[in-house]
Amino acid sequence: MGCIPWLENHYPSPWMGAIRTLAVYIAMTFPRRVVKLSRSRKFGRYPEARWANCAFGRVQASIALLVLLSLVHPSRAFAANPDLETVLTGSRQRIEKLDYRVTGRLTRVEDNGKRTSYKFVAKAHWFPDGLRLLCEISGPGSEKTSLLLHMSVSGHVTIEAVLPGEKAASVLPFERWNDPLVGTDFSYEDMVENQFFWKHQELLAPEKYGARDCFVLKSMSGSQDRTYYDSVTSWIDRGILYPVHVVKTPRGTGQQKEFIYYGLRQIGGLWSATQVEAKLEGKPGSSILVIERGSGKANLGRKDFDINQSNAQGEKVK
């Protein structure tokens, strides 16, 4: 147990007493068990029993070592991060309460100031099996793009689409999820905030974004997550638990996409943004989604999310 003096220098009281106790237990228990096994009659007569006892001893030693390491780093093993729990719970509950209709416009702004605008109509509701979002983007001609996104309670996303020139909806292949939505800096996948439901979440050091004090949450995708993003970092206002700035890093490229949220307001007890600007690193210009009017309590049902029958553009916003 020559590592104890080193540990004492780096991890002083109150953990050293517990570490020493466990170290002594390991040192005394396992040699005694080996002696006991070597004296046992069964040890020589039954090789299977000998193998099982040795394996059991190794398991005990491994468990004890894990406990020892957890005492060295107690915060990692036992202490939950209350701020992380607050951020994740607040962000997920905000999404799980969605029930809205909105109209607005989606605009691509070139670096020379030229603007191309589309009409944007959307509605969303959280059902027992997850979120459904139906949106229709039309113009500047007569072409339309309709999307139905479904995010399950575990964050799994599926997308159906009726693209220009098509008459019926079909599943949008995953390979197209990162395509520009009607030529803007938003992708199809950007229409939902599934990153808050990924399993791997880390709270970074708090920062200010403008005048706002923010939690900084880094969400990292795993192999089980269908997404084009490797990670999403969100600056979340500490007072209202709503994102004011988000940076997404696509898988394999390192190129970042930035989202800035403006005009935060509270409607029906829920916070939302009136504008979201998207900027792609290395690409001039940006895209802006502006919400002009809508209802935060639309009382939507399943029938409102039939992509083949719903005409979102002509629906009256309550």
Side-chain angles (χ1 to χ4, degrees), residues 55-104:
F56 181 72
R58 291 192 187 99
V59 171
Q60 280 191 320
S62 299
I63 293 173
L65 181 59
L66 288 174
V67 175
L68 178 61
L69 292 175
S70 69
L71 288 172
V72 174
H73 299 286
S75 60
R76 296 182 184 178
F78 298 109
N81 188 329
D83 285 342
L84 177 59
E85 183 178 354
T86 296
V87 172
L88 284 178
T89 300
S91 299
R92 291 170 179 174
Q93 286 182 350
R94 172 176 59 83
I95 296 171
E96 291 168 358
K97 293 178 181 178
L98 291 179
D99 178 36
Y100 68 76
R101 298 176 189 262
V102 296
T103 60

Side-chain angles (χ1 to χ4, degrees), residues 204-252:
L204 306 181
E207 292 182 4
K208 272 188 173 291
Y209 185 77
R212 296 179 179 272
D213 293 317
C214 296
F215 293 112
V216 182
L217 177 70
K218 185 174 183 180
S219 308
M220 295 154 286
S221 62
S223 58
Q224 73 281 0
D225 299 308
R226 297 188 72 199
T227 176
Y228 266 89
Y229 294 114
D230 179 65
S231 67
V232 178
T233 304
S234 306
W235 282 254
I236 300 173
D237 185 285
R238 296 176 67 97
I240 62 176
L241 295 180
Y242 192 89
V244 295
H245 182 220
V246 172
V247 174
K248 298 184 177 183
T249 303
R251 286 177 171 172

Side-chain angles (χ1 to χ4, degrees), residues 41-52:
R41 296 179 180 179
K42 294 182 179 180
F43 192 91
R45 293 175 58 190
Y46 299 101
E48 296 85 0
R50 177 175 58 190
W51 180 88

Side-chain angles (χ1 to χ4, degrees), residues 21-40:
T21 300
L22 184 60
V24 172
Y25 171 80
I26 294 172
M28 295 180 64
T29 300
F30 292 103
R32 189 164 61 243
R33 180 171 180 79
V34 171
V35 171
K36 183 178 179 180
L37 286 171
S38 64
R39 293 175 179 175
S40 172

Side-chain angles (χ1 to χ4, degrees), residues 271-292:
W271 286 91
S272 63
T274 56
Q275 295 186 34
V276 182
E277 182 178 16
K279 299 179 180 180
L280 188 60
E281 185 180 35
K283 181 180 179 181
S286 65
S287 300
I288 303 174
L289 174 61
V290 178
I291 302 302
E292 297 171 333

Side-chain angles (χ1 to χ4, degrees), residues 105-298:
R105 63 184 185 275
L106 180 59
T107 302
R108 167 65 188 167
V109 184
E110 306 295 341
D111 58 334
N112 61 4
K114 179 183 176 182
R115 292 172 173 256
T116 305
S117 294
Y118 302 83
K119 185 174 181 180
F120 179 85
V121 181
K123 51 188 174 181
H125 185 89
W126 182 274
F127 295 95
D129 65 344
L131 179 71
R132 279 174 169 76
L133 168 66
L134 179 62
C135 63
E136 186 176 273
I137 304 160
S138 57
S142 59
E143 67 274 13
K144 298 178 184 178
T145 297
S146 297
L147 301 175
L148 175 62
L149 297 96
H150 176 236
M151 182 179 70
S152 72
V153 294
S154 62
H156 180 77
V157 176
T158 58
I159 306 176
E160 295 181 62
V162 181
L163 302 178
E166 299 179 353
K167 296 182 178 180
S170 59
V171 175
L172 187 72
F174 176 70
E175 292 74 20
R176 298 200 58 186
W177 283 20
N178 199 39
D179 289 356
L181 183 58
V182 296
T184 69
D185 297 292
F186 292 90
S187 70
Y188 294 95
E189 184 181 350
D190 291 333
M191 293 294 102
V192 293
E193 299 175 287
N194 57 323
Q195 72 270 14
F196 294 120
F197 294 84
W198 294 344
K199 291 183 178 180
H200 306 289
Q201 308 283 346
E202 178 184 359
L203 202 61
L204 306 181
E207 292 182 4
K208 272 188 173 291
Y209 185 77
R212 296 179 179 272
D213 293 317
C214 296
F215 293 112
V216 182
L217 177 70
K218 185 174 183 180
S219 308
M220 295 154 286
S221 62
S223 58
Q224 73 281 0
D225 299 308
R226 297 188 72 199
T227 176
Y228 266 89
Y229 294 114
D230 179 65
S231 67
V232 178
T233 304
S234 306
W235 282 254
I236 300 173
D237 185 285
R238 296 176 67 97
I240 62 176
L241 295 180
Y242 192 89
V244 295
H245 182 220
V246 172
V247 174
K248 298 184 177 183
T249 303
R251 286 177 171 172
T253 68
Q255 184 185 37
Q256 294 184 331
K257 186 187 288 189
E258 180 184 20
F259 299 81
I260 306 172
Y261 296 75
Y262 302 99
L264 303 188
R265 60 184 180 181
Q266 190 176 30
I267 300 176
L270 296 178
W271 286 91
S272 63
T274 56
Q275 295 186 34
V276 182
E277 182 178 16
K279 299 179 180 180
L280 188 60
E281 185 180 35
K283 181 180 179 181
S286 65
S287 300
I288 303 174
L289 174 61
V290 178
I291 302 302
E292 297 171 333
R293 58 183 180 142
S295 170
K297 293 185 177 181

